[in-house]
Amino acid sequence: MSVQVTLDRVDKAFTNRRTGERQQIFRDFSFTLAPHELVAVVGSSGTGKTTLMHLMAGLERPDAGRVATGGGVQPRLGMVFQQPRLLDWTSVDTNVRLAARAAGVDPAEVPRILAAVGLTEYAQAYPSVLSGGQRQRVAVARAFVVQPELVLLDEPFSALDELTARRLRLLLQELWLREPRTGLLVTHNALEAAFLADRVLVLGGRPAEVVREYRIDRPRPRTPEDPELFDIHRQIVAALA
């Protein structure tokens, strides 16, 4: 269950509402996300990482060029944001069940995905009583229960302490190993990018361009302590600097 996404010579600009200045985010930008590939995008704030994700999700349209997907239809999306964006007035089970129902997925999948993210015993709990890491596990479950063809992850672990974020990176790797998807990860964490991704793109400039690309050839499952990942991490940080 996967899809290819291609940005072909895309232009995208926004007008600053305060100054009226036209800000060119992308010009003649091309990029292909291959089936079953997880690509991480890193770069300083304002380089277009989130705009790239919104273009791929169909939330923004290019001013020129095209965003193409296999089959010519918008793929089924699973999205995980920096904040979980849960419905605090209903249970964990219902939060995930509503996502499944909206996607036309059999709600019988809900117990399986809750088990996969380690939340079976919290199925009837309300999000307000969960820790930050548990809430983000619910967000991951909601993204994966829809059986997505494309998974978009917008700094999903940046609001968590490092130990909790590490656990969730390992969980995400486990979910990917069980059923590979096509995915785009936006992150400021170079080690997270190296650990999770098949490729890491460093965006820079305005309009944005890919200033460095790293292919991560380490086999999965990976360990966060792998010295080769630390070496790639150092290279990415140097490129960002």
Side-chain angles (χ1 to χ4, degrees):
M1 185 181 299
S2 193
V3 68
Q4 176 170 299
V5 184
T6 300
L7 276 71
D8 183 20
R9 306 189 69 176
V10 162
D11 289 2
K12 185 63 183 178
F14 294 101
T15 300
N16 186 309
R17 293 181 180 179
R18 183 173 59 84
T19 66
E21 179 186 0
R22 188 77 167 164
Q23 298 176 334
Q24 193 74 39
I25 308 301
F26 293 115
R27 179 179 289 124
D28 203 30
F29 184 86
S30 296
F31 162 67
T32 295
L33 183 60
H36 296 142
E37 183 181 38
L38 176 57
V39 170
V41 179
V42 298
S44 59
S45 296
T47 53
K49 302 184 301 298
T50 298
T51 300
L52 175 61
M53 178 169 286
H54 287 176
L55 286 165
M56 297 182 71
L59 300 175
E60 297 282 355
R61 294 185 178 276
D63 300 328
R66 67 191 185 104
V67 180
T69 58
V73 296
Q74 184 66 32
R76 179 175 291 177
L77 288 175
M79 299 190 70
V80 183
F81 300 96
Q82 181 176 347
Q83 298 298 330
R85 303 187 181 186
L86 305 179
L87 303 177
D88 284 336
W89 58 87
T90 191
S91 69
V92 166
D93 179 86
T94 302
N95 266 273
V96 180
R97 196 171 294 273
L98 287 171
R101 187 176 300 136
V105 173
D106 186 351
E109 286 292 301
V110 173
R112 182 185 67 82
I113 196 66
L114 287 179
V117 300
L119 287 175
T120 299
E121 64 181 294
Y122 296 97
Q124 300 309 316
Y126 283 71
S128 58
V129 304
L130 301 181
S131 68
Q134 289 169 330
R135 289 171 62 87
Q136 200 65 337
R137 283 173 184 259
V138 180
V140 170
R142 205 169 48 178
F144 277 82
V145 78
V146 304
Q147 300 176 1
E149 298 166 296
L150 176 63
V151 179
L152 302 177
L153 305 131
D154 191 1
E155 299 187 54
F157 311 132
S158 62
L160 303 174
D161 65 87
E162 182 53 34
L163 182 59
T164 302
R166 182 184 187 278
R167 290 173 180 151
L168 288 182
R169 290 178 199 123
L170 289 167
L171 168 65
L172 186 60
Q173 175 179 242
E174 183 180 343
L175 291 172
W176 222 270
L177 283 169
R178 289 183 187 181
E179 196 166 356
R181 314 278 180 171
T182 301
L184 186 78
L185 166 68
V186 166
T187 179
H188 283 96
N189 188 316
L191 186 57
E192 177 175 277
F195 172 67
L196 287 171
D198 299 296
R199 276 192 296 152
V200 179
L201 306 182
V202 180
L203 287 188
R206 177 65 66 83
E209 60 181 358
V210 177
V211 296
R212 292 286 190 281
E213 178 175 328
Y214 301 90
R215 188 166 293 279
I216 316 299
D217 292 324
R218 302 299 293 158
R220 293 185 175 94
R222 299 169 182 168
T223 64
E225 294 77 21
D226 184 337
E228 293 201 26
L229 294 180
F230 274 102
D231 184 53
I232 296 167
H233 157 260
R234 286 191 291 269
Q235 294 177 51
I236 297 169
V237 170
L240 288 168

